[in-house]
Amino acid sequence: DMTLATQAKMLRLLQDGCFERVGGNKTIQTDVRVIAATNQNLEKLIFEGCFREDLYYRLKVFSIELPPLRSRQDDIPILVDHFMNLFNRELHKKVRAISPEALQMLKTYHWPGNVRELQGALKHAMVNSQADVLVPEHFPAACRVRTAAKSISQTEAPNLAQLIRDWIQAGEKDIYRKVQNRVDQIVLQEVLNCVEGNQVEAARLLGISRTTLRSKLASLNLVLEKHVCSNSGHADQ
């Protein structure tokens, strides 16, 4: 996120260990270790000319890739306990636990905002709660709506090979169309969930027109969920 001019100064600091204070004219020598973090795609920014390639390789000595929170479900109970203790002190609350249903809801939510979003959701729930146990109703609507939606996730996706065999044994006809509809249902639901119901973005990712997407949604009886921000900044369905 630094400007190219600032990147040049950072490169000099890393290479020579020298810098000047703002407004000063004396070169200062230093010896530091630098930890750099980003949520940007630096290779893409280099290609676009927004990030210096020499600085990239100067920083990339030892890299740690942190998966998104949705890929680290086992971390969620630990983070929940941490944030509950933090907000109990900050908000002068005495919340002692989270219900199993609420914890399961948090584990199945996709967390596009990662840990910061989880932190905000916990604070929302604790402000919203007058009890000592957090339940799903205390959390933001986005968490509850996404969990309650009867979407077909990858883990819920049917075993198509077994399904085809079952149809054959049952004497079903038109199996190809049925399989195609089932695959379409899974793909469309997952893409729409990932873009939070944005049809334009979903059509772009799928490589089809928006008209085709709407037609498929109608033919498969899929319910479209979309979250928008109101003027107050709150997410509404």
Side-chain angles (χ1 to χ4, degrees):
D1 295 316
M2 294 185 294
T3 64
L4 289 172
T6 305
Q7 290 176 37
K9 294 178 181 180
M10 178 59 69
L11 180 63
R12 181 193 174 197
L13 174 65
L14 294 175
Q15 289 179 336
D16 304 330
C18 299
F19 71 97
E20 289 86 34
R21 290 193 179 98
V22 175
N25 54 17
K26 180 181 177 181
T27 299
I28 299 173
Q29 189 77 28
T30 188
D31 180 16
V32 298
R33 292 183 179 181
V34 174
I35 299 175
T38 183
N39 60 358
Q40 302 277 8
N41 185 331
L42 294 185
E43 290 87 352
K44 180 174 179 288
L45 292 180
I46 291 171
F47 179 78
E48 294 172 350
C50 299
F51 197 87
R52 293 180 61 117
E53 188 173 17
D54 48 4
L55 176 58
Y56 173 73
Y57 287 113
R58 196 70 178 81
L59 287 169
K60 193 179 180 182
V61 177
F62 184 83
S63 299
I64 299 175
E65 297 288 339
L66 184 63
L69 183 58
R70 61 180 172 272
S71 301
R72 298 183 283 125
Q73 291 188 359
D74 291 343
D75 288 357
I76 290 178
I78 300 171
L79 290 167
V80 166
D81 285 342
H82 167 72
F83 289 132
M84 279 200 307
N85 291 331
L86 177 68
F87 294 134
N88 269 329
R89 294 192 298 270
E90 179 182 326
L91 303 172
H92 306 291
K93 293 274 189 174
K94 294 183 179 179
V95 175
R96 60 178 179 79
I98 181 172
S99 71
E101 295 80 9
L103 185 59
Q104 183 59 32
M105 176 190 72
L106 298 182
K107 285 185 174 182
T108 56
Y109 183 61
H110 60 302
W111 300 113
N114 289 299
V115 176
R116 285 189 180 90
E117 186 181 6
L118 175 62
Q119 181 179 2
L122 257 295
K123 191 169 189 177
H124 176 106
M126 293 183 68
V127 169
N128 202 29
S129 171
Q130 300 299 321
D132 61 351
V133 176
L134 299 178
V135 297
E137 289 72 21
H138 294 145
F139 286 84
C143 298
R144 290 182 278 111
V145 170
R146 175 64 178 85
T147 305
K150 295 181 178 179
S151 60
I152 302 177
S153 68
Q154 291 179 344
T155 57
E156 296 169 333
N159 184 324
L160 289 179
Q162 183 60 52
L163 187 60
I164 291 169
R165 288 193 291 269
D166 291 343
W167 280 339
I168 292 174
Q169 292 176 2
E172 294 283 344
K173 306 296 183 184
D174 203 10
I175 291 177
Y176 179 82
R177 181 185 60 81
K178 291 180 179 179
V179 170
Q180 189 66 48
N181 286 344
R182 188 62 62 91
V183 171
D184 283 350
Q185 188 178 27
I186 296 169
V187 172
L188 294 180
Q189 187 70 70
E190 283 301 310
V191 171
L192 285 166
N193 284 340
C194 288
V195 300
E196 297 191 348
N198 187 319
Q199 292 187 42
V200 175
E201 181 65 11
R204 185 187 69 79
L205 291 174
L206 291 165
I208 60 178
S209 69
R210 191 175 177 185
T211 301
T212 301
L213 174 61
R214 285 179 168 175
S215 176
K216 285 184 174 293
L217 290 172
S219 65
L220 295 170
N221 293 320
L222 286 178
V223 177
L224 178 64
E225 292 177 359
K226 184 174 182 180
H227 297 91
V228 298
C229 288
S230 64
N231 292 331
S232 62
H234 297 294
D236 299 319
Q237 184 179 358

